[in-house]
Amino acid sequence: MTAATASAKNALLTWPRPASPDPAGQPLLEFRQVSKIYGTGTAAMRALDGVDLRIGPGEFVAVMGPSGSGKSTAMNILGCLDTPSAGSYLFRGVAVETLSHDQRARLRRHYLGFVFQGFNLLNRTSALENVELPLIYRRAPRTERHARARAALAQVGLTGWEGHTPGELSGGQQQRVAIARAIVTEPSLLLADEPTGNLDTARSHEVMELLVGLNRDQGITVLMVTHEAEMAAYAHRIIHFRDGRVADDGHAGGPV
Amino acid sequence: MLWNALLLAFREIRRNVLRSFLTILGVVIGVASVIVMVTLGNGATRAVATQIESMGSNLLMIRKGQHMGPGQTSSAPAFDLEDTVALERDIPAIKSLAPSATDSITAVVGNASWATSVNGTDNRFFSVRNWTLERGRLFSASELSGGRAACVIGATVRKELFGPQDPIGSNLRLKQISCEVIGLLAGKGQSSMGHDQDDLVVMPLRTFQRRIAGNQDVTLIQVSIRDGESTERAKTDIERLLRERRKVAAGEQDNFSVRDMKEVATMLTGTTQVLTTLLSAVAAVSLLVGGIGIMNIMLVSVTERTREIGIRLAIGALEREVLMQFLVEAVALSSLGGVLGILLALGASIGLADILKVPFVFNGGIVLTAFLFSAAVGVIFGYFPARRAARLDPIEALRRE
Ligand SMILES: Nc1ncnc2c1ncn2[C@@H]1O[C@H](COP(=O)(O)OP(=O)(O)OP(=O)(O)O)[C@@H](O)[C@H]1O
Ligand SMILES: [Mg+2]
């Protein structure tokens, strides 16, 4: 390992995040021939098939593609929740697959916010406590934790719903709690798997405005999976997946 | 770290009231049953031991006839005072002996009546049987020789006939004689065979023979053996002497029996010890069952909670933070269950000991063992499956359901 990659690796694991800007020209995320294979032998399923991808800091990217084309698989690997079967994933120049379990957990803690396609909220736990949870692991003091969680819920339009558990919330409301939980930590990279999948058009536009705002004002890099061209239009760049490969990677027309 | 783990663990406990309750219940039952059973078993053994001591150690009971059970009579001749004199003179191992004759008689005081066992004997009876006086006095020499109607009564007789009143100086009617109460014996309680030892009236042997039995018979001789002397040897000597005096031909069966209370005692303690062992085995099984209950709940809950573990890992928890939370949770629930189990067990043991009339014998070792076992089961089965789940990639954990 070179001295440069060693220090890049150390930087990933220290908190607070180093203030130094990313080295010029270095992508924030890079996929080098990443493949993900589920199952073995004849039953083997190539969910990702040699994907190359570079995403720079501060980008707002939409990921589109038919169902089963590997979008969620790619997002999970990008979110360090899963590891590629082959190829390399570099986060700020550090190969994630070389990191230990614990180091990947720290990377997630320091940099990432993740909105799952299936929300993944804790049952029987109030919206406020769900949103607070990432802050507990980041050792935020109690009062700060409450204030930030309330603010995040307000940002997604859930003021007044803090005490409700997921079972008492609609699908759209649960989705917004999941978004609040991902943004409450002010991550430097926000990965959102169909964040507007359960929302009506008006709510979807509100959420998109929120993401655009986070991207523009706080410089958060946003990667978002969507099926709706209308939402993808908010992004600067749209990546199309087909059969586990990147079929098209082009720049969108910008916000409508 | 610990503070966070506590916060997270207590949120989880609150979130899963039923599951937490079941875990606690498993520990409570396991701990409580073991403690109660062992405590009562020990109490029973202790009770028997005290009982035997109170009966008088190294005690031999000589009766006429063989194998006399309750209600049986024997045609064998009774003993007389000559026999007791001979025994005391010829067998040096005898420390003391008390001849007695007994009968069941209804004692009457005013309107109250009570069927009791009346014992004609002398003052040696009290020392041979380890009786102590609560108040009053024993028989005087003139009462013993003159055949006067004086009697010493047991605690039960006093309770039934006199209630809270002082019985000393009052008179007791036994058949046609009126007998002055001169002494009250200190209570001994129930014997290990379930017979109330305090239910007796004692009067001078001569009085009994003349005015109640109407003969010179001695039906029972109670003998205490000197410390350090072999009761076995003394028993053989007594048997030889009595066979000679009662002219039992060689080869013929004894027409009397000499029972060694030590034998009875050993047999009884043996029985209660077997009982204690049995109770302990039952207790061990219930501890195991409780343990399996805890294990079951823990395993099910960890499987259920694999998704929760995945969520926590995905949003920034480290493996050891998740584990610390599970550990704190398991320890908190197990300890709470353990403490409740101990409190319940102590309450139940004290109550049951009172009802069953056995002493409460606290055994710290078993309390600790039961507690540690249940806590260990809770912790091990809460911790290890959680550790397996926390080592997965978050996405793996999230997929399990
Ligand atoms: N755990 C798994 N085991 C086996 N196959 C899997 C697994 N996860 C995903 N796949 C397969 O990989 C392929 C890609 O799945 P993925 O979830 O990435 O699709 P997607 O593009 O997100 O689809 P959608 O738009 O429906 O969410 C699918 O064919 C799916 O069946
Ligand atoms: Mg998907």
Side-chain angles (χ1 to χ4, degrees), chain A:
Chain A
M1 196 192 298
T2 67
T5 57
S7 77
K9 190 164 164 177
N10 281 337
L12 278 189
L13 305 175
T14 46
W15 188 255
R17 289 190 285 257
S20 61
D22 293 286
Q26 181 188 294
L28 177 65
L29 314 171
E30 185 175 357
F31 266 12
R32 288 185 183 160
Q33 284 297 305
V34 166
S35 293
K36 180 74 188 181
I37 301 163
Y38 290 115
T40 49
T42 49
M45 158 80 213
R46 278 186 176 267
L48 288 180
D49 190 6
V51 175
D52 281 314
L53 201 62
R54 292 160 76 88
I55 292 166
E59 280 197 82
F60 188 156
V61 181
V63 176
M64 299 190 77
S67 186
S69 57
K71 306 181 296 295
S72 293
T73 307
M75 291 295 270
N76 291 338
I77 295 174
L78 288 166
C80 303
L81 302 173
D82 204 357
T83 40
S85 311
S88 182
Y89 167 35
L90 290 91
F91 185 94
R92 294 184 135 206
V94 177
V96 172
E97 61 278 1
T98 65
L99 298 180
S100 70
H101 197 252
D102 225 40
Q103 288 171 327
R104 265 181 283 150
R106 284 184 191 282
L107 194 162
R108 285 195 294 274
R109 174 186 289 189
H110 296 164
Y111 290 88
L112 298 179
F114 203 98
V115 182
F116 290 93
Q117 194 168 2
F119 321 141
N120 281 330
L121 299 175
L122 288 185
N123 299 327
R124 301 193 296 284
T125 302
S126 71
L128 188 71
E129 285 186 354
N130 261 295
V131 176
E132 262 185 348
L133 200 56
L135 296 176
I136 293 180
Y137 291 118
R138 286 160 179 83
R139 309 266 188 287
R142 195 182 141 87
T143 42
E144 183 195 328
R145 216 164 63 207
H146 281 271
R148 283 171 69 180
R150 280 177 194 282
L153 282 168
Q155 275 188 293
V156 296
L158 282 178
T159 302
W161 296 90
E162 290 88 350
H164 291 69
T165 64
E168 301 161 356
L169 295 171
S170 72
Q173 288 169 327
Q174 291 181 46
Q175 188 148 43
R176 284 182 282 151
V177 175
I179 295 169
R181 187 179 64 184
I183 63 176
V184 75
T185 57
E186 294 170 359
S188 57
L189 170 64
L190 179 66
L191 297 160
D193 200 347
E194 304 207 27
T196 60
N198 287 271
L199 304 182
D200 59 48
T201 317
R203 281 287 176 206
S204 298
H205 284 291
E206 274 178 40
V207 166
M208 293 320 295
E209 296 294 348
L210 173 68
L211 298 185
V212 169
L214 292 170
N215 174 253
R216 185 187 54 220
D217 305 333
Q218 295 175 31
I220 296 178
T221 308
V222 178
L223 230 85
M224 159 190 90
V225 174
T226 181
H227 280 289
E228 298 159 281
E230 211 182 330
M231 303 305 145
Y234 280 91
H236 306 149
R237 176 179 163 193
I238 302 179
I239 299 173
H240 282 272
F241 272 76
R242 184 158 297 122
D243 298 331
R245 293 166 192 271
V246 176
D248 184 37
D249 186 352
H251 288 264
V256 239

Side-chain angles (χ1 to χ4, degrees), chain B residues 12-39:
Chain B
E12 271 316 297
I13 291 173
R14 201 190 55 201
R15 195 159 77 94
N16 298 291
V17 184
L18 181 64
R19 190 180 68 208
S20 312
F21 171 75
L22 288 175
T23 311
I24 292 175
L25 194 67
V27 182
V28 168
I29 291 173
V31 170
S33 56
V34 174
I35 297 176
V36 169
M37 292 199 204
V38 174
T39 307

